[in-house]
Amino acid sequence: MTQRLITDLSRDELLAWVEATGNASYRADQIRRWTYGKRVSSFDEMHDIPATLRASLAEDFTFFASKIVRHQVSQDGTEKLLLEMRDGENVECVLMREEKRQTVCVSTQVGCAMGCVFCASGLMGLKRDLTTGEILDQILRLDRLLSLEERITNVVIMGMGEPLANLKNLIPALLTLNEKGGMGLGARRITVSTVGLPEKIHELSEINIPFNLAVSLHAPNNDLRNEIVPVNKNIRLERILQAADHYFEKTGRRITYEYVLLSGVNDADEHARELGELLTHRNAHVNLIPMNDVAPLSLTAPSAPRTNQFVETLKSWNVNATVRKRKGADIDAACGQLRLEQESGGDPNLHALEINS
Ligand code: SAH
């Protein structure tokens, strides 16, 4: 039988194991401090834990969920890992550096079932959910790429997959990120990005911790959204906005709306006006994301003047908007691209995805 992952255990579960194996209960917090706070890579490095306890930990648990199969470093300091989970599935995660800010972007599923037409992760459908430990493992791996002066300041759940479709495993991971005895990261430094699943947005608001919520809107009306984000046919925009409004009321956190700009598809003045009208009375921020090229897709980003015009139109509706900076372009850091390349093997249609680092 495969060993359990240490990161799959909640604090209470670890405490139960510690006590059941005849150890003092404070050892549970000590093990968690080593795991999440001190960048060790094995139980053996947990120096102030008795050798016998370290040995039983190693017997019952695995420390890392993954092995690193690819590690790329961009000229702008962005780093990207392709991790192979214990069943051979590949998962991507990214570390982005800005002055005084180190943001990690992690995945929640292998592949994705949502099928957004511009997204690399959706091209091969959903393979499986990641476990809580596999989500946290990406953060541990990226944390160990940092220098001594650096630390993770922000976490964005914006990698492969639809986070809210795997809320059961995501919530314990969010709690560990947030807990003092875990990573100790403030809720406002953690952002969950969703295609917009209303019931799940409600569920997330129920845990009453003000994580940031980013909703991937991509279109200002149902007709267009049905084409770009096919799951919208069963959801509808109005219900997503309602759920997001409720999230804002409950948590006090301003909602971010993500909007991928696709040239000739959703980037006209008319779309910006419609979006402005939709959001003008909401406390919202729009994050415009120029399309990142995904071979074999033919969708592209609009020109800079078109993008600026879109921002200006939104501003004329009093809607706050920013354009997302591109990071790690030379290592194809947009989610799903590396796994897509790895998996596509001999498929000539997918072969254009070459990594040029
Ligand atoms: N399933 C979640 C997380 C997806 S990734 C969601 O839908 O929000 C985070 C963001 O990147 C989403 O807004 C997603 O739509 C966007 N994205 C995906 N592929 C992209 C691409 N090729 N170019 C630009 N943005 C993309």
Side-chain angles (χ1 to χ4, degrees):
M1 201 186 89
T2 30
Q3 286 171 309
R4 296 175 76 192
L5 266 180
I6 192 73
T7 43
D8 268 332
L9 273 69
S10 66
R11 179 178 178 274
D12 285 351
E13 287 167 335
L14 184 60
L15 186 62
W17 179 88
V18 160
E19 288 173 348
T21 48
N23 293 284
S25 47
Y26 74 90
R27 296 290 183 196
D29 287 335
Q30 210 177 1
I31 295 165
R32 279 166 64 79
R33 271 199 302 279
W34 277 107
T35 305
Y36 298 108
K38 301 202 186 173
R39 298 186 186 163
V40 293
S41 299
S42 68
F43 298 114
D44 216 36
E45 290 164 67
M46 301 180 175
H47 298 308
D48 54 5
I49 289 178
T52 47
L53 175 51
R54 280 187 268 153
S56 12
L57 279 167
E59 205 169 299
D60 284 7
F61 302 107
T62 302
F63 188 80
F64 282 125
S66 61
K67 60 176 192 247
I68 298 173
V69 290
R70 242 166 130 167
H71 176 191
Q72 295 175 278
V73 184
S74 160
Q75 283 166 1
D76 67 13
T78 301
E79 298 191 44
K80 177 160 179 163
L81 294 177
L82 184 70
L83 302 176
E84 186 182 313
M85 295 298 160
R86 294 186 293 174
D87 63 352
E89 292 296 352
N90 290 321
V91 169
E92 290 174 49
C93 54
V94 181
L95 160 70
M96 290 161 286
R97 292 182 162 97
E98 274 166 301
E99 230 179 295
K100 293 196 187 142
R101 192 194 257 241
Q102 283 77 230
T103 302
V104 297
C105 174
V106 299
S107 301
T108 50
Q109 296 182 313
V110 181
C112 186
M114 301 298 122
C116 302
V117 296
F118 49 82
C119 177
S121 300
L123 285 175
M124 278 185 277
L126 175 67
K127 273 286 188 63
R128 69 170 176 85
D129 285 340
L130 293 178
T131 69
T132 300
E134 288 172 328
I135 297 169
L136 289 169
D137 186 76
Q138 299 167 62
I139 297 169
L140 298 192
R141 287 293 193 187
L142 293 166
D143 196 27
R144 280 145 185 78
L145 302 180
L146 296 174
S147 69
L148 282 176
E149 299 76 47
E150 294 175 314
R151 61 185 183 86
I152 293 175
T153 57
N154 297 75
V155 174
V156 295
I157 317 289
M158 290 190 186
M160 291 167 22
E162 169 46 44
L164 297 193
N166 186 16
L167 197 56
K168 173 173 64 62
N169 295 340
L170 177 64
I171 285 180
L174 292 174
L175 296 178
T176 294
L177 285 175
N178 186 231
E179 278 161 13
K180 284 259 172 337
M183 298 281 289
L185 214 56
R188 60 185 53 232
R189 295 174 175 276
I190 302 171
T191 301
V192 179
S193 176
T194 177
V195 73
L197 306 178
E199 287 77 20
K200 300 290 177 178
I201 292 176
H202 283 298
E203 228 176 285
L204 186 64
S205 70
E206 287 309 310
I207 62 172
N208 242 328
I209 302 177
F211 298 113
N212 293 309
L213 184 68
V215 176
S216 295
L217 216 53
H218 308 325
N221 60 60
N222 281 310
D223 285 347
L224 186 56
R225 195 167 196 268
N226 289 348
E227 281 174 36
I228 304 176
V229 183
V231 289
N232 190 62
K233 290 177 204 142
N234 313 319
I235 305 175
R236 318 287 294 169
L237 252 167
E238 300 73 18
R239 286 182 52 227
I240 298 173
L241 291 170
Q242 259 169 26
D245 289 346
H246 174 259
Y247 189 88
F248 170 67
E249 280 158 31
K250 189 92 198 274
T251 62
R253 300 298 294 150
R254 183 178 70 165
I255 305 293
T256 295
Y257 288 96
E258 292 161 289
Y259 194 103
V260 174
L261 285 171
L262 307 167
S263 179
V265 178
N266 65 354
D267 65 337
D269 285 341
E270 181 51 32
H271 299 126
R273 271 198 295 277
E274 220 178 327
L275 185 62
E277 206 175 338
L278 213 55
L279 300 180
T280 189
H281 296 302
R282 294 188 149 90
N283 193 343
H285 175 86
V286 174
N287 196 203
L288 297 165
I289 320 172
M291 168 76 188
N292 271 311
D293 293 346
V294 176
L297 303 177
S298 56
L299 295 159
T300 53
S303 65
R306 178 93 297 271
T307 304
N308 293 338
Q309 183 56 47
F310 203 93
V311 173
E312 289 311 313
T313 307
L314 286 175
K315 285 192 175 150
S316 72
W317 284 89
N318 276 330
V319 174
N320 201 302
T322 47
V323 180
R324 187 175 296 175
K325 273 184 275 173
R326 270 199 98 181
K327 290 239 154 217
D330 55 335
I331 56 169
D332 277 342
C335 331
Q337 300 190 6
L338 201 54
R339 171 173 175 268
L340 183 62
E341 187 212 44
Q342 186 89 0
E343 307 273 304
S344 65
D347 183 338
N349 291 321
L350 299 177
H351 228 73
L353 271 184
E354 268 313 317
I355 304 292
N356 16 304
S357 67

